[in-house]
Amino acid sequence: MAIVQLKQLSKYYSGQSEPAVDAVSLTVDDGEFMVLLGPSGCGKSTTLRMVAGLENISAGELLIDDVLMNKIPAKDRDIAMVFQSYALYPHMTVRDNMAFGLRRRGIKGAELERRVRATAETIGLTPYLDRKPHALSGGQRQRVALGRAIVRNPKVFLLDEPLSNLDAALRVSTRSELVKQQRNLGTTMIYVT
Amino acid sequence: MALTTSKPRRLRLPRSWHGHPDSDTPWRTIMVFLTPALLVYLAFTAYPVARTFYNAVHIIKPRDADQFVGWAHFIELFSKDALFVKAVSNTLIWAGAAPFIDVGVGLILALALYSRVPFARFFRVAWFTPVLISYVVVGVVWMWIYNYDWGIVNAFLRALGLDDWTHAWIGDPDTALWAIIFTHTWKWAGFNMVVCLAALAALPREVLEAAELDNCNWFKRAWFVMIPMIKPTLVNLLILSLIGKMKVFDLVWIMTQGGPLWSTETVSTYVYKRAFNWSSFDLGYPSAIAVVWFVVVLACVLILKLVFRQRDKLEY
Amino acid sequence: MLITRQMISQTLLLLGLSLYTAYAAGPFVWTALMSVRTTSEISADPYAWPETWHWSKYLDAWYSSNYAAYFWNSTIVVVVSVILLSVIGALAAHCLARYRFRGNRLVYFVIFSTIIFPPQITIIALFQVLVEYGLFNSHIGLILVYVSIQLPLTVFLLEGFFARLPQDLFDAARMDGYSDLEIFWRITVPVGMPAIITTMILNTIHLWNEFLYAVVLITDDDKRTLPLGIQKFMGDRLEDTGMIATGMMIAVIPIIIIYAVFSEKLIQGMTAGAVK
């Protein structure tokens, strides 16, 4: 559980006069579901990527639970992210996709299997655990991407337009599913759309 | 919230990327990835090239100190060395004629396959086979094919009653070079065919269908529509083929070793002979030839690239 | 009327294509047939069908003409070179495709431009360098040279493929906690395997057939690779057409097997550089 604070967070790319992100300040409370809305290309994604640690922070401060995160690499921030393209590992089964992050954190054997199964159960992926991403529908892939984040039980959850590749009906049901999940997990979430 | 609008940047590297890197580029990681390749490159490509340039202005003999001679090798090369001139002219004849034959044959074959013949896949696979066979094997087989007594070329001519036309094809200075050029084309036609075919397959269907509706016959369509559209590929193939001919060594070395009477001597075989076969033991002189030829090849490629680029600009 | 005309032209076309096929494949088929005939049979009629198939000639070539040694020399040199090339080339290609840094395109251009270099520009100096380092006339020396000559094409093909992999995949692995090297090993290598296999096949065939560098850098008979072995055999027993054909088939058969298995992949790989 975490409080995420952005203080005057900015991103400049060399060769461009305008900053991509200009002094964003906001606080996301513990367990809050924060949604960033705006036209495409207004810097939401870049902001999210700075929080994730995928982009360097040009200026300003990022704090999670009052700890300065600017120089902490992505892998040590305990943040999970769901990508717009899902970014599922195409050479791994659903099970391995979900286990990939856990394995890196030293979880293995029965404990690993238990957590993967539990997560798969809550998002209805149990029958597909041994399939590879190319054998799944768009909605199923989206759920794998979500499951891959949930299973890690991170402090903060980042979602970068995770619904934009789904059809309208699926989008509505997945959105309510997401809200339900967030209430159950009580995790801090930042959602860009 | 103050989110300023600006174009989003993807991390994916664009092809022509000239911007400045982030201040904290992960140099250590980059060097871990790049060092093995750079070491191999420096030790076995960059350093030898530099060393060849050094050789070219020295006399290099085993157990003697290298003796600086300045431009002497180059002067000798251009003023006294008739063999070098012969080797250059042979190589240029080859490089001038063969690319058009290679690419022309490849293009005709590709167009034939593209016109929906049955067994196209089989033909393609069969025609490509010579590309994969080593020059040593190709050279030996074609020595037999050209054999005066029992080679199939002469056997065929005799069967037709054309005994006067029989020839020692690679034993006669008048025909040897062309015989080898022919063999080289036999080996590479399949490669050119496959590349042309890939380019044809990538053409937009609508254009071809439009041409069909315009009542063009097949030859007109090929000549006015397909060939102009795959011109960039053809140019690439010509350049590729030209570079190949400028380097040609293996086939000549196996079939004739440059003979008879230097009629098939190429720059590559001449460099090899001067460096490793003649007992002059001087590596400086052949290095000078290598340097001259290196400059010629680079210049050819650059000029061709420039010429064809400018033409393209004028057309559109 | 229209249909008959079309049929005639179709038949003529097929006839022409078949003739070309005979021309393209004929020399190879002829060699294969001679490889199971004795030299005296060949001298009697070079173009006859084998009466008895002398398969034992292959054993003869293998055991009594040193072809076993040539074959294993070629195998060792090619396998080690191809493995090294794949590792070194994939590391470099991943770096050039994935990281933004000053000099990225310069490194790419410098490595790639050596594709057009004529081999003479390095071969004399390579001879000197290998002699100085005691690597002349050794398989290690030849392997290192082979890695260097095939590196540009390998990096070029792999970089092209790796650059097309979506960046999100790599970001996801970073979020999952993996370091740069682990990402290379667990994402780029398995996902890029089709491209890596293509370069492995191309390098195998090219190096299996390589002649110029081998003839300059190897002199001992027991270190010769197959192309050198064939050339030596030609020099020793010029008139023994039958055995030469058998020896050549030993060099060609592995290539034909690779081609039979990977024909599409191989053709695609070889054309990748030329179509643009």
Side-chain angles (χ1 to χ4, degrees), chain C residues 30-42:
Chain C
W30 183 44
T31 313
L33 291 176
M34 285 199 293
S35 77
V36 290
R37 302 174 68 211
T38 64
T39 300
S40 51
E41 284 171 354
I42 295 169

Side-chain angles (χ1 to χ4, degrees), chain A:
Chain A
M1 309 303 106
I3 304 169
V4 180
Q5 281 175 282
L6 283 63
K7 293 184 177 169
Q8 300 285 311
L9 213 57
S10 304
K11 181 73 190 177
Y12 311 105
Y13 289 109
S14 42
Q16 290 182 340
S17 50
E18 293 278 294
V21 176
D22 194 4
V24 177
S25 295
L26 64 96
T27 302
V28 189
D29 272 331
D30 190 17
E32 190 177 353
F33 192 111
M34 163 76 77
V35 179
L36 304 185
L37 260 168
S40 81
C42 73
K44 298 164 303 188
S45 282
T46 310
T47 308
L48 206 65
R49 293 175 63 86
M50 282 194 284
V51 175
L54 294 170
E55 296 269 358
N56 291 310
I57 295 165
S58 307
E61 289 182 345
L62 168 72
L63 299 115
I64 298 178
D65 285 342
D66 297 324
V67 180
L68 185 68
M69 285 287 158
N70 286 35
K71 291 291 163 199
I72 310 277
K75 62 186 165 106
D76 299 327
R77 290 190 191 183
D78 198 14
I79 293 175
M81 184 159 169
V82 179
F83 293 85
Q84 182 179 359
S85 67
Y86 312 147
L88 302 183
Y89 310 121
H91 56 301
M92 297 183 195
T93 60
V94 170
R95 181 194 311 276
D96 289 332
N97 260 285
M98 300 215 293
F100 194 61
L102 293 179
R103 285 215 179 92
R104 188 66 191 85
R105 288 172 168 75
I107 297 161
K108 38 184 182 262
E111 165 71 1
L112 181 84
E113 179 66 18
R114 192 189 60 72
R115 284 179 66 171
V116 170
R117 283 212 158 268
T119 309
E121 199 61 49
T122 57
I123 53 175
L125 276 175
T126 313
Y128 308 108
L129 276 177
D130 292 316
R131 290 215 195 153
K132 288 201 176 164
H134 64 81
L136 298 176
S137 71
Q140 288 164 342
R141 283 180 210 184
Q142 203 277 338
R143 276 184 281 158
V144 178
L146 211 60
R148 199 167 62 176
I150 293 172
V151 75
R152 272 180 43 199
N153 193 18
K155 275 201 260 184
V156 184
F157 227 102
L158 307 177
L159 301 109
D160 189 4
E161 311 195 30
L163 304 181
S164 60
N165 288 338
L166 299 180
D167 63 52
L170 210 51
R171 207 178 298 173
V172 172
S173 64
T174 315
R175 194 179 294 138
S176 56
E177 179 74 12
L178 254 178
V179 174
K180 212 170 78 194
Q181 286 294 338
Q182 199 268 342
R183 290 218 179 97
N184 290 343
L185 299 166
T187 314
T188 311
M189 283 200 189
I190 305 177
Y191 182 115
V192 161
T193 191

Side-chain angles (χ1 to χ4, degrees), chain B residues 9 12 29 41 48 51-52 55 117 121 123-125 127 132 134 141 150-152 186 194 236 247 250 268, chain C residues 13 20-21 23-24 31 47 96 100 110 115 120-121 125 128 132 163 180 209 211 216 259 264 267 271 274:
Chain B
R9 276 272 289 247
R12 199 197 160 297
T29 315
Y41 182 83
R51 180 95 176 240
T52 306
N55 287 348
V117 285
R121 208 186 108 78
F123 285 131
R124 198 169 69 111
V125 170
W127 298 350
L132 307 170
S134 83
V141 175
W150 53 277
I152 193 148
W186 173 81
V194 154
N236 269 346
K247 303 181 194 176
D250 302 25
S268 302
Chain C
L13 183 64
Y20 188 85
T21 309
Y23 159 75
T31 313
Y47 306 106
L96 294 171
R100 292 190 289 161
V110 163
I115 279 183
Q120 293 76 25
I121 196 67
Q128 293 171 285
E132 279 159 24
D180 294 74
N209 292 340
F211 178 70
V216 171
Y259 186 47
E264 288 304 316
I267 292 177
T271 47

Side-chain angles (χ1 to χ4, degrees), chain C residues 118-141:
Chain C
Q120 293 76 25
I121 196 67
T122 55
I123 197 149
I124 295 169
L126 276 174
F127 167 77
Q128 293 171 285
V129 171
L130 293 194
V131 167
E132 279 159 24
Y133 289 103
L135 293 172
F136 177 69
N137 199 14
S138 78
H139 286 161
I140 298 174

Side-chain angles (χ1 to χ4, degrees), chain C residues 104-115:
Chain C
N104 180 313
R105 290 297 97 180
L106 180 72
V107 172
Y108 178 80
F109 176 78
V110 163
I111 293 180
F112 179 58
S113 63
T114 51
I115 279 183

Side-chain angles (χ1 to χ4, degrees), chain B residues 6 30 37 48 56 70 81 89 96 105 112 124 130 178 180 220 225 227 232 242-244 246 248 254 271 299 310 312:
Chain B
S6 160
I30 289 167
D81 194 339
S89 91
V105 174
R124 198 169 69 111
W178 290 101
I180 298 185
K220 274 189 186 160
V225 183
I227 293 176
L242 180 98
I243 299 170
M246 303 284 260
V248 77
I254 297 296
V271 169
Q310 253 165 9
D312 281 357

